[in-house]
Amino acid sequence: MEPYPNSPESDPVPQGKGTAPASVKTAVKLIWANIALSILSTVVTFASLDSIVDTGMQGTSGGDRDTVRLTVIVSAVIGLIIGVALAALFAYFIAKGANWARIVYTVLLGLGIVFVLFGLFGSQPVLLLVLSVLSLAISVAILYFLYRPESSRYFKGEQA
């Protein structure tokens, strides 16, 4: 039996995604801006801790002030760590053109938008409210840039 002949053509090498279009780069920058806002919101939360605890105490009957304070602190720190880590991870993979990251980030961002909208109706310090509205606007802009036609082509691996 004769061996198969070698092909005169070289094996096709899959091309990379290439350079991300401006819309994807803008979306990634906005993700980082949202991360910065999250950090700033946590700082404001700690600066406004007494006011937040007072508001939390109004909804409880005979609750322990220290328990409310600890709950706010733990929630803020854990939320910040998980939120920043996930957002940074998604920013990295989105910049590399991973469509799965775009889809998962979209779902998480959509849930975040819903929570922010519900949070706008609660009582919170004015500065936290302003930061929430700003974060909401940035989140909508991220979605806009992630789903521009040139972004979609990039995530599908099509060359411009």
Side-chain angles (χ1 to χ4, degrees), residues 94 98-107 146-147 151-152 155:
I94 286 170
N99 195 42
W100 66 266
R102 177 174 73 150
I103 293 167
V104 174
Y105 189 73
T106 298
V107 171
L146 283 179
Y147 288 91
S151 297
S152 293
F155 286 108

Side-chain angles (χ1 to χ4, degrees), residues 36-92:
L37 272 179
S38 295
I39 294 168
L40 181 59
S41 292
T42 302
V43 170
V44 171
T45 296
F46 284 116
S48 308
L49 191 57
D50 289 334
S51 171
I52 294 169
V53 169
D54 290 341
T55 302
M57 291 297 295
Q58 291 173 359
T60 62
S61 57
D64 183 19
R65 186 172 180 78
D66 290 334
T67 302
V68 174
R69 178 181 295 280
L70 182 63
T71 302
V72 171
I73 291 171
V74 169
S75 299
V77 170
I78 290 175
L80 178 69
I81 292 170
I82 292 172
V84 167
L86 281 175
L89 184 70
F90 284 113
Y92 172 79

Side-chain angles (χ1 to χ4, degrees), residues 21 23-24 102 144-156 158:
S23 57
V24 172
R102 177 174 73 150
Y144 171 78
F145 286 111
L146 283 179
Y147 288 91
R148 300 275 306 142
E150 61 273 15
S151 297
S152 293
R153 283 192 299 271
Y154 174 68
F155 286 108
K156 290 178 184 174
E158 299 171 6

Side-chain angles (χ1 to χ4, degrees), residues 125-149:
V126 174
L127 187 53
L128 281 177
L129 180 66
V130 170
L131 291 173
S132 293
V133 170
L134 185 56
S135 177
L136 180 65
I138 289 173
S139 297
V140 170
I142 290 168
L143 290 176
Y144 171 78
F145 286 111
L146 283 179
Y147 288 91
R148 300 275 306 142

